C-alpha cells in the first residue's frame, strides 16, 4: 500500500514526515509513504519556524481557482511520473489540493478511473472559491466564518512563540464542540442537501481533525463531500496539528490501515 503525501503550506516534505513519525511505524511494513515538496517556495506557516528550519514550500499562493487548478496539473504529473500510488495523504493545504482534485474529477471526468484508490485527510478542507466554482451555493455566512477561522488559525499558531512548556495554546480563543450533531442542511454555512450526487467522492477516505483547530469547519465540510459508507473520521482532540500521543498515534494507524484494506477490496 503506497501513499503519496502532500504537506501543508509553509512547511515541507521533511516536516510532514516528522509530523507523521509516530503513527507510520505502527502500520504493516507493506504501507509505504513518499513525501514530496510543493513546487513553490513559501514563508513559514505561523509558528512552524519555532520547531523546524527552512526551506518551506507551498502548492499555490493566493486564493484563486486558477492557482489551485494549476496545482492539480502538477499533482497529476507527480502521480504519473512517480506512481502508481494506492493512496494519497495530505495535511492542510495538501488536503485542500487532494480534495479539490477529487471534486473536479467527479464533476468533469466521472467515467475515468482515479489515479489512486483512497485518501487520508488531516486538518483541512476545500477552498470555498472552489466549492462555488463547482456549482455549490456559498453564502455570506459561510464566507464570513471561513475568513474568521483563517484569521484565528494564524493567531493561535503564532502564539506558540510565547507559550510556556505545557501550555495548550490551541485551547485559547475559537474552539468547536466535537459533540455537535452535523445538520447536512447547514454544515457551517453550506447546504449539503442541495449538493449534486455527482460531486460525492466514492473512494474510501479518512478525515482526522482537532476540534481546537480554527479550521475545523473546513475539515467537517470536506467529509460531507465524501460517501458516508466509505469514510471514517477522528477528532484527535488538538488543534491544527497531529498530536503524537500513543492514543492518537494508535487511532490514526488503525484508520490508515482500514482505508488501505478498503482500497484493496
Amino acid at each position: 500500500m503506497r501513499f503519496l503525501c502532500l504537506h501543508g503550506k509553509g512547511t515541507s516534505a521533511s516536516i510532514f514526515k516528522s509530523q507523521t513519525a509516530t503513527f507510520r511505524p505502527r502500520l504493516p511494513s507493506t504501507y509505504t509513504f513518499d513525501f514530496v515538496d510543493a513546487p513553490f517556495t513559501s514563508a513559514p506557516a505561523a509558528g512552524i519556524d519555532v520547531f523546524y528550519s527552512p526551506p518551506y514550500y507551498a502548492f499555490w499562493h493566493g486564493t484563486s481557482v486558477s492557482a489551485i487548478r494549476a496545482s492539480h496539473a502538477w499533482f497529476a504529473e507527480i502521480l504519473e511520473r512517480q506512481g502508481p500510488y494506492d493512496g494519497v495523504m495530505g495535511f492542510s493545504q495538501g488536503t485542500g489540493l487532494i480534495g479539490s482534485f477529487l471534486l473536479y474529477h467527479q464533476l468533469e471526468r466521472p467515467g475515468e478511473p482515479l489515479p489512486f484508490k483512497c485518501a487520508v485527510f488531516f486538518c483541512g478542507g476545500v477552498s470555498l472559491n472552489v466549492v462555488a466554482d463547482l456549482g455549490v451555493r456559498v453564502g455570506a455566512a459561510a464566507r464570513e466564518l471561513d475568513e474568521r477561522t483563517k484569521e484565528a488559525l494564524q493567531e493561535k499558531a503564532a502564539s506558540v512563540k510565547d507559550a510556556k512548556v505545557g501550555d495548550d495554546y490551541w485551547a485559547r480563543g475559537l474552539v468547536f464542540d466535537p459533540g455537535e450533531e452535523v445538520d447536512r442542511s447547514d454544515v457551517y454555512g453550506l447546504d449539503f442537501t442541495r449538493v449534486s450526487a455527482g460531486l460525492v467522492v466514492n473512494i474510501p477516505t479518512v478525515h482526522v481533525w482537532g476540534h481546537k483547530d480554527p479550521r475545523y469547519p473546513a475539515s467537517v465540510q470536506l467529509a460531507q463531500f465524501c460517501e458516508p459508507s466509505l469514510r471514517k473520521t477522528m477528532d484527535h482532540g488538538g488543534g491544527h496539528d497531529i498530536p503524537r500521543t500513543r492514543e492518537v498515534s494508535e487511532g490514526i494507524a488503525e484508520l490508515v490501515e482500514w482505508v488501505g484494506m478498503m482500497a484493496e477490496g
Side-chain angles (χ1 to χ4, degrees):
M1 182 59 54
R2 189 170 180 236
F3 285 84
L4 176 63
C5 307
L6 307 184
H7 59 80
K9 183 178 181 179
T11 67
S12 66
S14 63
I15 292 174
F16 194 24
K17 188 173 184 179
S18 172
Q19 291 170 321
T20 59
T22 57
F23 75 79
R24 287 185 291 106
R26 300 174 187 272
L27 289 157
S29 60
T30 52
Y31 282 64
T32 62
F33 300 85
D34 288 351
F35 295 85
V36 295
D37 286 321
F40 303 109
T41 57
S42 173
I48 202 72
D49 52 336
V50 173
F51 305 104
Y52 298 102
S53 299
Y56 312 109
Y57 301 95
F59 294 102
W60 67 84
H61 291 293
T63 60
S64 72
V65 170
S66 61
I68 295 169
R69 298 217 66 175
S71 75
H72 296 168
W74 173 90
F75 182 45
E77 182 182 348
I78 292 290
L79 288 166
E80 182 175 359
R81 188 173 72 241
Q82 298 184 193
Y85 289 99
D86 301 292
V88 290
M89 184 170 76
F91 181 89
S92 195
Q93 192 183 57
T95 279
L97 192 164
I98 297 166
S100 56
F101 177 90
L102 283 167
L103 291 174
Y104 277 115
H105 186 277
Q106 289 294 117
L107 183 69
E108 298 172 349
R109 303 182 300 281
E112 294 182 18
L114 282 161
F116 48 86
K117 298 179 287 187
C118 63
V120 179
F121 300 116
F122 290 98
C123 300
V126 174
S127 161
L128 290 186
N129 289 340
V130 165
V131 172
D133 190 54
L134 290 163
V136 178
R137 183 181 181 278
V138 179
R143 293 282 188 186
E144 188 279 330
L145 178 61
D146 190 60
E147 288 304 313
R148 186 156 59 94
T149 62
K150 288 177 181 177
E151 292 172 4
L153 173 59
Q154 294 301 308
E155 292 174 3
K156 278 197 185 189
S159 71
V160 67
K161 295 183 179 182
D162 301 316
K164 298 178 182 178
V165 175
D167 280 357
D168 185 4
Y169 56 91
W170 290 115
R172 303 170 188 164
L174 187 62
V175 174
F176 294 89
D177 179 4
E180 182 180 0
E181 187 173 347
V182 175
D183 177 358
R184 282 182 53 78
S185 68
D186 185 8
V187 183
Y188 299 104
L190 298 184
D191 183 355
F192 280 88
T193 66
R194 296 191 173 191
V195 172
S196 166
L199 279 180
V200 175
V201 174
N202 283 300
I203 61 172
T205 60
V206 163
H207 307 258
V208 182
W209 54 56
H211 66 271
K212 298 174 187 174
D213 180 1
R215 296 295 290 158
Y216 174 86
S219 294
V220 176
Q221 289 167 341
L222 175 56
Q224 292 300 311
F225 278 111
C226 300
E227 167 56 43
S229 65
L230 295 174
R231 76 172 184 233
K232 288 199 175 188
T233 66
M234 174 183 172
D235 182 347
H236 60 50
H240 198 73
D241 59 1
I242 305 175
R244 303 187 187 191
T245 65
R246 178 177 177 179
E247 180 181 6
V248 169
S249 299
E250 288 178 349
I252 294 173
E254 288 177 7
L255 291 180
V256 175
E257 185 169 7
W258 169 84
V259 84
M261 292 172 62
M262 290 291 289
E264 290 179 331

